[in-house]
Amino acid sequence: MKTAVVVSAHSADFVWRAGGAIALHAAAGWAVTVVCLSYGERGESAKLWRQPGMTLERVKTERQGEAERAAAALGVADIQFWDLGDYPIGLDKQALFRLVDVYRRVRPGFILTHSKADPYNHDHPAVTDFALHARVTAQAHGHNPGEPVLGAPQVFLFEPHQPEQCSWVPEVYLDIGSVWDRKRAAIECMAGQGHLWDYYTRVGQQRGAQAARNSDKPIVWGEAYQRVFPDVRDALA
Amino acid sequence: MKTAVVVSAHSADFVWRAGGAIALHAAAGWAVTVVCLSYGERGESAKLWRQPGMTLERVKTERQGEAERAAAALGVADIQFWDLGDYPIGLDKQALFRLVDVYRRVRPGFILTHSKADPYNHDHPAVTDFALHARVTAQAHGHNPGEPVLGAPQVFLFEPHQPEQCSWVPEVYLDIGSVWDRKRAAIECMAGQGHLWDYYTRVGQQRGAQAARNSDKPIVWGEAYQRVFPDVRDALA
Amino acid sequence: MKTAVVVSAHSADFVWRAGGAIALHAAAGWAVTVVCLSYGERGESAKLWRQPGMTLERVKTERQGEAERAAAALGVADIQFWDLGDYPIGLDKQALFRLVDVYRRVRPGFILTHSKADPYNHDHPAVTDFALHARVTAQAHGHNPGEPVLGAPQVFLFEPHQPEQCSWVPEVYLDIGSVWDRKRAAIECMAGQGHLWDYYTRVGQQRGAQAARNSDKPIVWGEAYQRVFPDVRDALA
Amino acid sequence: MKTAVVVSAHSADFVWRAGGAIALHAAAGWAVTVVCLSYGERGESAKLWRQPGMTLERVKTERQGEAERAAAALGVADIQFWDLGDYPIGLDKQALFRLVDVYRRVRPGFILTHSKADPYNHDHPAVTDFALHARVTAQAHGHNPGEPVLGAPQVFLFEPHQPEQCSWVPEVYLDIGSVWDRKRAAIECMAGQGHLWDYYTRVGQQRGAQAARNSDKPIVWGEAYQRVFPDVRDALA
Amino acid sequence: MKTAVVVSAHSADFVWRAGGAIALHAAAGWAVTVVCLSYGERGESAKLWRQPGMTLERVKTERQGEAERAAAALGVADIQFWDLGDYPIGLDKQALFRLVDVYRRVRPGFILTHSKADPYNHDHPAVTDFALHARVTAQAHGHNPGEPVLGAPQVFLFEPHQPEQCSWVPEVYLDIGSVWDRKRAAIECMAGQGHLWDYYTRVGQQRGAQAARNSDKPIVWGEAYQRVFPDVRDALA
Amino acid sequence: MKTAVVVSAHSADFVWRAGGAIALHAAAGWAVTVVCLSYGERGESAKLWRQPGMTLERVKTERQGEAERAAAALGVADIQFWDLGDYPIGLDKQALFRLVDVYRRVRPGFILTHSKADPYNHDHPAVTDFALHARVTAQAHGHNPGEPVLGAPQVFLFEPHQPEQCSWVPEVYLDIGSVWDRKRAAIECMAGQGHLWDYYTRVGQQRGAQAARNSDKPIVWGEAYQRVFPDVRDALA
């Protein structure tokens, strides 16, 4: 069975940024694992914190519920909540080896995670570095010797909120027209961030229009990614 | 009252690199807070260490005195010495949250700090990352819930010692002609680094000449800054 | 009277890319001159060419009419059609000196033109180079000696169709909420490119949301620009 | 039938830089057209010029013969010699429209050409710009109205002689193991540049080893390319 | 006596990447110190781990033996094994000050270390940052006051495995023809990484050919480096 | 005899930007040829044009006199005025081949010219491209067959007026202390640009201080250059 791993800094990132890719591959039979390193409970839950008497635990519970419902809408096979804290996120060696274990167990065909830079968000690029570090470590024969090591799965970086400020460039466009309704349904699970629903719907339309322009195909909804590693192919087209 | 925060790795950086901006805004009625994270006691006090019998504590005392006198010359409203150590500077989570508190209490109209890279100085870019990290954390509703969160103040990066080696580019020139005498007076408080007095005086002249060239105005003394975030405006000129 | 010059490769570019800035400054009393170097008659008039019996002259006439109506909707003071040809655009020395004459006569407070790179469009970056070249030439005392030379107006580069592929980064956001209806009206004059109406409406929404995020102000509609030259200022905020 | 176009500045470039891709696609049934814009008669024929009594015409004849034999070894469907001159290459509007005609007639699935920069070679980046310019022009509905316009074929940039000095980065690796013997045979047709045979054989080995590393597959011989446009896909893997 | 320090993340890096420079300077009478921060026991010893019953200690012992034999072949004056662990490497403050001590004691004419970026290896760029950090700290008068501080030795970054993916550019080519046999002998000491012998032999050939091209001299074997700091000279050639 | 060629867009550029290198090498017995492609008569002679009744011919005459006196002060062996026009400069194929002839006749050990980019000056980067183009052409065996071809002289790019805006980075610092008085004397020959005398004197002081910092030597006056090609060396220090 084909598999993929999504490494999401906060529990909603996988929806806005990779919901289309997740739904598309899930619909094609892939088992997609989503690792939510934190809930985004401190830094990305403004609306919840405006409710009287809100507590950190209640924010986490709400955010987990939202993410689980979104994951169901997208067809995610396994969603994990590691509760490492956010703003700043707590990425220690124990968490690193835990992600190595996930990579080795799942053996993903590809990995999705954040952009390399983001002046608006300190957790996102830290997670990118962490997800890449875990990939390298999972390839080391001396880490838990005897376990099969990881191969060389591509890592795709999903779209940050303000792409040009993050030195992020779309290198791969994905036609997500066949699953757009699922992505929108997942987006609508994010009750706490309603102001982003239309923003990311328009992102889908713009990336769709650009995908059409770059392919001469009638694509309407798109998601864009940056590659970390070169692409190895048997033919150029 | 309008306010600004300057995050200075060592206790003299704010003088060489931002003395003009501080004096200019102070003269216009702004309350400027300068946070000196360390004294630069190990790495930027060569002349003091050449004195016989010098101790770390005496270096710190001397450096604090110099910085206080310079701050007075510039019209700084509040100068703080956090004594976090230098070479390497000690930037832990406690210090991060302390800077978050300063940002939230002062609510700066803008923040000044170091360049993003500097192969000659390991503390400077670490402080830039730290100052940006604190800004993001100060915007998080779940950090000390109930406190008003920070808005979106611009962060200006002041000039490193060898700008081209630091990938630092002047994006904003400031005419500091009206306060040059105050900046020079502050510079002269830095008894331990006399070799830099003329160097940074010439920097002021070159940046002034360039400001004149870019504005067609008769500017003589300048300071230059790089922006971190885009500029939001009501008109283009 | 305050003035600005917009250098547009093809006759519709000023609408999609700078309509908001034009309308905003026109509404504030600025006299905005738009120079359409070509009609985009060969390369940006696909819909017109699908009509039976279409000729190059008819395309030009249609395009000029559209652009004139759009200019009126935006409050443009002067729109000029230089008919230099497109795909490729014909930018010779005579045209260069003609633009120098415009700059010297209008004495713009700022200039708007295209991005520095665009792999999808060969005319656009050629025009950027041309507009900058004319600015330098207009500053030369030996060009038509005796004429007052140009000062140092800023040049803002407006948004290309696929910004990340063009190394174009938003450095200035403009709040165009007060004139959005005029920009939309101008957009709707472009009958031959209906597929772009909604695309650029969404660009306005995304840039508005980003402007809000970068300013903590309730901005809804935006336009973004990249600066060519550093900004010279009397204060940082 | 699937087709591709290779735009080669000098008559040997297609062999060293793209021989593997050409042979691979030819073997898979593609009709590959190679356009040799010049013979490299002045700048890339040192060995021939060392022969006594050599003339420009004889150099061209020799170079054409070599290139034709190499093309045959690779399975090229059509090789054209435009004799535009080299060092500097003569790329005028007439040549541009001639390449537009080739693109429109062949309707390539992809285009191969040179790198965007090369401080060691003035013709190569000029040809890259020219090949991209022709692609844009071939998409213009007003160029020879009535002809079907070109779609959006990807452009791959093949490897320059000193890649790191040319800001060229491998983004696509191609496994050319099945056709390596044909590429080597084509290389050996280049009698005038024997010093490059082993150099480019080692390039094939290094790119093969790197392709293996990036794919976890036992690849031995490789060729690398940089993409100009983003990749549009139906799935990420 | 002239001296140099090589800071090698894993115990084989100095051989592949800097063996020529080491042998060349050793042959000219320099005392070269090699600091192997780890053995690469977990991440770069795949072949050893495939042996039944292998243990971490045995891997380290094997790797140390290989490195010592290679160092002897190259003429290294002092090789040190700090056993800091790999994948991830353990670079704490104590190790930093230990390297500062080495720099101050050896007073190197130059320092060699890794590239600034490497998506395939998390330890390498961490070591580069660490080696530069130690250089800055060794220049601080307040670090172990009274000790002579370090001057300003150049830092050369040696070649990573996939240079273009690491933003590494050759800025200095070294003719290592006179010591190539020693480098090859050192390479052959690396029994555990036989797949790299020919790869790095070809690197030597390609860099040699490029050095010849850039100097018009008959160079056959080369090594390439990137500089961190500008070069200060008495003449340009 | 050792030789060098300086390719100067306008007749004063070689003084501000390379006067130190010229005097230093001349003093060491090098024969330095300076090619002034234009007089800068239109774009860099503002002060002359303010004189009543000034004509283009008189400006050229004055500029030539200044440049000849400066060249004498620096010890230039041969200064040539090609009078190609400025703003814009006229760089055609005939001028290209003329520069090729100079390169082949002089056989320079190094070439000095302008920066690769300069948004304030259209002629400067055009000349850089031209000087590099001539170098490549001079290496072509088929250009004037039978003439000895050029080797591979390094090209150093001298400092533009606003270095950070031109993506120009100092990679080589030259200690010009022994010839500073000659450079200042040459500068003072430039009667028409008195506002630049002190500006470039301060450049000399800043580059000197930076050279001292990068070498730990007591350097006072400096000039800085960027390299185009990698450096080929027999030793690293």
Side-chain angles (χ1 to χ4, degrees):
Chain A
M1 189 184 207
K2 288 184 169 175
T3 60
V5 171
V6 184
V7 185
S8 183
H10 312 107
S11 60
D13 287 319
F14 74 93
V15 180
W16 319 113
R17 312 191 190 294
I22 294 170
L24 195 69
H25 290 83
W30 290 55
V32 180
T33 297
V34 176
V35 178
C36 295
L37 298 173
S38 82
Y39 295 104
E41 63 273 14
R42 285 165 42 92
E44 304 193 353
S45 304
K47 193 173 169 186
L48 291 168
W49 285 110
R50 289 203 196 91
Q51 297 177 18
M54 184 54 62
T55 65
L56 201 65
E57 282 317 304
R58 274 187 53 208
V59 171
K60 289 181 184 178
T61 304
E62 294 271 2
R63 296 275 293 178
Q64 179 166 340
E66 288 177 6
E68 284 171 340
R69 286 187 292 278
L74 297 172
V76 166
D78 179 23
I79 184 164
Q80 307 182 10
F81 300 92
W82 290 15
D83 196 13
L84 299 176
D86 74 322
Y87 285 64
I89 200 162
L91 300 172
D92 60 13
K93 203 167 169 176
Q94 184 180 352
L96 180 72
F97 288 172
R98 187 174 173 192
L99 187 57
V100 170
D101 288 344
V102 170
Y103 285 168
R104 285 194 170 177
R105 191 178 64 244
V106 173
R107 306 191 66 72
F110 61 84
I111 295 165
L112 304 184
T113 193
H114 293 268
S115 62
K116 289 198 181 177
D118 193 335
Y120 301 93
N121 197 304
H122 208 264
D123 291 355
H124 288 178
V127 165
T128 309
D129 182 68
F130 174 80
L132 288 168
H133 194 180
R135 179 182 177 278
V136 166
T137 311
Q139 294 172 326
H141 286 260
H143 180 79
N144 295 343
E147 280 186 15
V149 301
L150 187 68
Q154 180 60 275
V155 180
F156 295 100
L157 307 180
F158 42 58
E159 179 160 353
H161 193 65
Q162 298 190 54
E164 297 98 343
Q165 309 297 332
C166 300
S167 305
W168 177 92
V169 175
E171 294 177 346
V172 182
Y173 281 96
L174 199 60
D175 177 356
I176 62 166
S178 64
V179 295
W180 170 254
D181 56 343
R182 298 190 198 183
K183 178 163 182 177
R184 177 73 196 192
I187 283 176
E188 294 185 4
C189 297
M190 300 291 117
Q193 290 164 288
H195 62 296
L196 295 179
W197 292 13
D198 288 352
Y199 187 88
Y200 281 99
T201 296
R202 290 190 300 261
V203 167
Q205 290 171 290
Q206 300 302 84
R207 296 305 180 196
Q210 292 166 6
R213 189 108 161 193
N214 280 290
S215 66
D216 208 28
K217 292 180 187 167
I219 298 174
V220 176
W221 297 96
E223 255 175 16
Y225 293 88
Q226 189 169 21
R227 275 192 189 83
V228 173
F229 299 101
D231 199 19
V232 183
R233 299 168 60 158
D234 295 324
L236 289 176
Chain B
M1 190 183 204
K2 287 183 168 177
T3 60
V5 171
V6 183
V7 186
S8 183
H10 312 106
S11 61
D13 287 318
F14 74 94
V15 180
W16 319 112
R17 312 189 192 296
I22 293 170
L24 195 69
H25 290 84
W30 291 55
V32 179
T33 296
V34 175
V35 177
C36 294
L37 297 172
S38 82
Y39 295 103
E41 63 273 16
R42 285 165 42 94
E44 306 194 352
S45 305
K47 195 173 167 186
L48 290 168
W49 284 109
R50 291 202 194 91
Q51 298 177 18
M54 185 53 63
T55 65
L56 201 65
E57 283 315 305
R58 274 189 51 209
V59 171
K60 290 182 184 177
T61 304
E62 294 271 1
R63 298 274 294 177
Q64 179 165 341
E66 288 177 6
E68 284 171 340
R69 285 188 291 277
L74 297 171
V76 166
D78 179 23
I79 184 164
Q80 306 182 10
F81 300 93
W82 290 16
D83 196 13
L84 298 177
D86 74 322
Y87 285 63
I89 200 161
L91 301 171
D92 60 13
K93 204 168 170 176
Q94 185 181 350
L96 180 72
F97 288 172
R98 188 173 171 192
L99 187 56
V100 170
D101 289 345
V102 170
Y103 286 168
R104 285 194 169 177
R105 192 179 62 246
V106 172
R107 306 191 66 72
F110 61 84
I111 294 165
L112 303 184
T113 193
H114 292 268
S115 62
K116 288 198 181 176
D118 193 337
Y120 301 93
N121 196 305
H122 208 263
D123 291 355
H124 287 179
V127 165
T128 309
D129 182 67
F130 173 79
L132 288 169
H133 194 180
R135 179 181 177 278
V136 165
T137 311
Q139 294 172 325
H141 286 260
H143 180 79
N144 295 344
E147 280 187 15
V149 300
L150 187 68
Q154 180 60 277
V155 180
F156 294 100
L157 308 180
F158 42 58
E159 179 160 352
H161 194 67
Q162 298 189 54
E164 298 98 343
Q165 309 297 333
C166 300
S167 305
W168 177 92
V169 176
E171 294 177 346
V172 182
Y173 280 95
L174 199 61
D175 177 357
I176 62 166
S178 64
V179 295
W180 170 253
D181 55 343
R182 298 189 198 185
K183 178 163 182 178
R184 177 72 196 193
I187 282 176
E188 294 184 6
C189 298
M190 300 291 118
Q193 290 165 290
H195 62 295
L196 295 179
W197 293 12
D198 288 352
Y199 187 89
Y200 280 101
T201 297
R202 290 189 300 262
V203 167
Q205 290 171 290
Q206 299 303 83
R207 295 308 180 194
Q210 292 165 7
R213 189 107 162 194
N214 281 290
S215 67
D216 207 28
K217 292 181 188 167
I219 298 174
V220 176
W221 297 97
E223 256 175 16
Y225 293 88
Q226 189 169 23
R227 275 193 190 83
V228 173
F229 298 101
D231 199 20
V232 182
R233 297 168 62 157
D234 295 324
L236 289 177
Chain C
M1 190 183 204
K2 289 183 167 175
T3 59
V5 170
V6 183
V7 184
S8 183
H10 312 107
S11 61
D13 287 318
F14 74 94
V15 180
W16 319 112
R17 312 191 191 293
I22 293 169
L24 195 68
H25 290 83
W30 291 54
V32 179
T33 297
V34 175
V35 177
C36 294
L37 298 172
S38 82
Y39 296 103
E41 64 273 15
R42 285 164 42 93
E44 306 193 351
S45 306
K47 196 173 168 187
L48 291 168
W49 284 109
R50 289 202 196 89
Q51 298 176 17
M54 183 55 62
T55 65
L56 200 64
E57 284 315 304
R58 274 188 53 209
V59 170
K60 290 182 185 179
T61 304
E62 294 269 359
R63 296 275 294 177
Q64 179 166 338
E66 288 177 7
E68 285 170 339
R69 287 188 291 278
L74 297 173
V76 166
D78 179 22
I79 184 163
Q80 306 182 9
F81 300 93
W82 290 14
D83 195 14
L84 300 176
D86 74 321
Y87 284 65
I89 199 161
L91 300 171
D92 60 13
K93 204 167 170 178
Q94 184 181 353
L96 180 72
F97 289 172
R98 187 175 173 192
L99 187 56
V100 170
D101 289 344
V102 170
Y103 286 170
R104 286 195 169 176
R105 193 178 63 245
V106 172
R107 306 191 64 75
F110 61 84
I111 296 165
L112 304 184
T113 192
H114 292 268
S115 61
K116 288 198 182 176
D118 193 336
Y120 300 94
N121 196 305
H122 209 264
D123 292 353
H124 287 179
V127 166
T128 309
D129 182 66
F130 174 79
L132 288 168
H133 194 179
R135 179 183 177 276
V136 165
T137 310
Q139 294 172 326
H141 287 259
H143 180 79
N144 295 345
E147 280 187 15
V149 300
L150 188 68
Q154 180 61 274
V155 180
F156 295 100
L157 308 180
F158 41 58
E159 179 159 353
H161 194 68
Q162 298 191 53
E164 298 97 343
Q165 309 297 332
C166 301
S167 306
W168 178 91
V169 175
E171 294 177 346
V172 181
Y173 280 97
L174 199 61
D175 177 357
I176 61 166
S178 64
V179 295
W180 170 253
D181 55 344
R182 296 188 199 185
K183 178 164 182 178
R184 177 72 196 193
I187 283 176
E188 294 185 5
C189 296
M190 299 291 118
Q193 289 165 291
H195 63 295
L196 295 180
W197 293 11
D198 288 352
Y199 186 88
Y200 281 101
T201 297
R202 290 190 300 262
V203 167
Q205 290 171 291
Q206 299 303 86
R207 295 306 180 194
Q210 292 166 8
R213 190 107 162 193
N214 281 291
S215 65
D216 207 29
K217 293 181 187 168
I219 298 173
V220 177
W221 297 95
E223 255 175 17
Y225 293 88
Q226 189 168 20
R227 271 193 194 83
V228 173
F229 299 100
D231 199 19
V232 183
R233 298 168 62 156
D234 295 323
L236 290 177
Chain D
M1 190 183 205
K2 289 183 168 176
T3 59
V5 171
V6 183
V7 185
S8 184
H10 311 107
S11 62
D13 287 318
F14 74 93
V15 180
W16 319 112
R17 314 190 190 294
I22 293 169
L24 195 68
H25 290 83
W30 290 56
V32 179
T33 296
V34 175
V35 178
C36 294
L37 298 172
S38 82
Y39 294 103
E41 63 274 14
R42 286 165 40 93
E44 306 194 350
S45 305
K47 195 174 169 186
L48 290 169
W49 285 109
R50 290 202 195 90
Q51 298 177 19
M54 184 55 62
T55 64
L56 200 66
E57 283 317 303
R58 274 189 52 209
V59 171
K60 290 182 184 179
T61 304
E62 294 272 359
R63 297 274 294 177
Q64 178 165 342
E66 288 178 7
E68 284 170 341
R69 287 188 290 278
L74 297 173
V76 166
D78 179 22
I79 183 165
Q80 307 183 9
F81 301 91
W82 290 14
D83 195 13
L84 300 177
D86 74 323
Y87 284 64
I89 198 160
L91 301 171
D92 61 12
K93 203 167 170 178
Q94 184 181 352
L96 179 73
F97 289 172
R98 187 174 173 193
L99 187 56
V100 169
D101 288 345
V102 170
Y103 286 169
R104 285 195 170 177
R105 192 179 64 246
V106 173
R107 306 192 65 74
F110 61 83
I111 295 165
L112 304 184
T113 194
H114 292 267
S115 61
K116 289 198 181 176
D118 193 335
Y120 301 94
N121 196 306
H122 208 262
D123 291 355
H124 288 179
V127 166
T128 309
D129 182 68
F130 175 78
L132 288 169
H133 194 179
R135 179 183 179 275
V136 165
T137 311
Q139 294 172 327
H141 286 260
H143 180 79
N144 295 344
E147 280 186 16
V149 300
L150 187 68
Q154 180 61 273
V155 180
F156 295 100
L157 308 180
F158 40 59
E159 179 159 353
H161 194 67
Q162 299 190 53
E164 299 97 343
Q165 309 298 332
C166 301
S167 306
W168 177 91
V169 175
E171 294 177 347
V172 182
Y173 280 96
L174 198 61
D175 177 357
I176 62 165
S178 64
V179 295
W180 170 253
D181 55 344
R182 297 189 199 185
K183 178 163 182 178
R184 177 73 197 192
I187 283 177
E188 294 185 5
C189 297
M190 300 291 118
Q193 290 165 289
H195 63 295
L196 295 179
W197 293 12
D198 288 353
Y199 187 89
Y200 281 101
T201 296
R202 291 190 300 263
V203 167
Q205 289 171 292
Q206 299 303 84
R207 297 306 181 195
Q210 292 165 7
R213 189 106 161 195
N214 281 291
S215 67
D216 207 28
K217 292 182 189 167
I219 298 173
V220 176
W221 297 96
E223 255 175 18
Y225 293 88
Q226 190 169 20
R227 272 192 193 82
V228 173
F229 299 100
D231 199 20
V232 183
R233 298 168 61 157
D234 295 324
L236 290 177
Chain E
M1 189 182 205
K2 288 183 167 177
T3 58
V5 171
V6 183
V7 185
S8 182
H10 312 107
S11 60
D13 287 318
F14 74 94
V15 180
W16 318 112
R17 311 190 192 294
I22 293 169
L24 195 68
H25 289 83
W30 291 55
V32 180
T33 297
V34 175
V35 177
C36 294
L37 298 173
S38 82
Y39 295 102
E41 63 273 15
R42 286 165 40 93
E44 304 192 353
S45 305
K47 193 172 169 187
L48 291 168
W49 284 110
R50 289 203 195 90
Q51 298 177 18
M54 184 53 62
T55 65
L56 200 65
E57 283 315 305
R58 274 189 53 209
V59 171
K60 290 183 184 178
T61 303
E62 294 270 0
R63 296 275 292 177
Q64 179 165 341
E66 288 178 7
E68 285 170 340
R69 287 188 291 277
L74 297 172
V76 165
D78 179 23
I79 184 163
Q80 306 182 9
F81 300 93
W82 290 15
D83 196 13
L84 299 177
D86 75 321
Y87 284 64
I89 199 160
L91 300 171
D92 59 13
K93 204 168 170 177
Q94 185 181 351
L96 179 72
F97 288 171
R98 187 174 173 190
L99 187 57
V100 170
D101 289 345
V102 170
Y103 285 169
R104 285 195 170 177
R105 193 178 62 247
V106 173
R107 305 191 67 72
F110 61 83
I111 296 165
L112 304 184
T113 193
H114 292 268
S115 62
K116 288 198 181 175
D118 193 336
Y120 300 94
N121 196 305
H122 208 264
D123 291 355
H124 288 180
V127 166
T128 309
D129 182 68
F130 174 78
L132 287 169
H133 194 180
R135 179 183 178 278
V136 165
T137 311
Q139 294 172 326
H141 286 259
H143 180 78
N144 295 344
E147 281 186 15
V149 300
L150 187 68
Q154 180 60 276
V155 181
F156 295 99
L157 308 180
F158 41 57
E159 178 159 353
H161 193 66
Q162 298 190 55
E164 298 97 344
Q165 309 297 332
C166 300
S167 305
W168 176 92
V169 175
E171 294 177 345
V172 183
Y173 280 95
L174 199 60
D175 176 356
I176 62 166
S178 64
V179 296
W180 169 254
D181 55 344
R182 299 189 198 184
K183 178 162 182 177
R184 178 70 196 195
I187 283 176
E188 294 185 6
C189 297
M190 301 289 117
Q193 290 165 288
H195 62 295
L196 295 179
W197 293 12
D198 288 352
Y199 187 88
Y200 280 101
T201 296
R202 289 189 301 262
V203 167
Q205 291 171 290
Q206 300 301 86
R207 295 306 179 195
Q210 292 166 8
R213 189 107 162 193
N214 281 290
S215 67
D216 207 28
K217 293 181 186 165
I219 298 173
V220 176
W221 297 96
E223 254 175 18
Y225 293 87
Q226 190 169 21
R227 275 193 190 83
V228 173
F229 299 101
D231 200 18
V232 182
R233 298 169 61 156
D234 295 324
L236 289 176
Chain F
M1 190 182 203
K2 288 184 168 176
T3 58
V5 171
V6 183
V7 185
S8 183
H10 311 106
S11 61
D13 286 320
F14 74 93
V15 180
W16 319 112
R17 314 192 189 293
I22 293 170
L24 196 68
H25 290 83
W30 290 56
V32 180
T33 297
V34 175
V35 178
C36 295
L37 298 172
S38 82
Y39 295 102
E41 62 274 14
R42 286 164 41 93
E44 305 194 350
S45 305
K47 195 173 167 187
L48 291 168
W49 284 110
R50 290 202 195 90
Q51 298 177 18
M54 184 54 63
T55 65
L56 201 65
E57 283 316 304
R58 275 188 52 208
V59 171
K60 289 183 184 177
T61 304
E62 294 269 1
R63 297 274 295 177
Q64 179 164 339
E66 287 177 7
E68 284 170 341
R69 287 187 291 277
L74 297 171
V76 166
D78 179 22
I79 184 163
Q80 306 183 8
F81 300 93
W82 290 13
D83 195 14
L84 300 175
D86 74 323
Y87 285 66
I89 200 161
L91 301 171
D92 59 13
K93 204 168 170 178
Q94 185 181 352
L96 180 73
F97 288 173
R98 187 174 173 191
L99 187 57
V100 169
D101 289 344
V102 170
Y103 286 169
R104 285 196 170 176
R105 192 179 63 246
V106 173
R107 305 192 66 74
F110 60 85
I111 295 166
L112 304 184
T113 194
H114 292 268
S115 61
K116 290 200 181 174
D118 192 336
Y120 300 94
N121 197 305
H122 208 263
D123 291 354
H124 288 179
V127 166
T128 309
D129 183 67
F130 174 79
L132 288 168
H133 194 179
R135 179 183 179 275
V136 165
T137 311
Q139 295 172 325
H141 286 259
H143 180 78
N144 294 344
E147 281 186 13
V149 301
L150 187 68
Q154 180 59 277
V155 181
F156 295 100
L157 308 180
F158 42 58
E159 180 160 352
H161 193 67
Q162 298 190 55
E164 299 97 342
Q165 309 298 330
C166 301
S167 305
W168 178 91
V169 175
E171 294 177 347
V172 182
Y173 280 97
L174 199 60
D175 177 356
I176 61 165
S178 64
V179 294
W180 170 254
D181 55 344
R182 298 188 199 186
K183 177 162 182 179
R184 177 72 196 193
I187 283 176
E188 294 185 5
C189 297
M190 299 291 119
Q193 290 165 290
H195 64 294
L196 295 180
W197 293 12
D198 288 352
Y199 187 89
Y200 280 101
T201 296
R202 289 190 301 262
V203 167
Q205 290 171 291
Q206 299 303 84
R207 295 305 179 197
Q210 292 165 9
R213 189 107 163 195
N214 281 291
S215 66
D216 207 28
K217 292 180 187 167
I219 298 173
V220 176
W221 296 97
E223 254 175 17
Y225 293 88
Q226 189 168 21
R227 271 193 194 83
V228 173
F229 299 100
D231 199 19
V232 182
R233 298 168 61 156
D234 295 323
L236 289 176

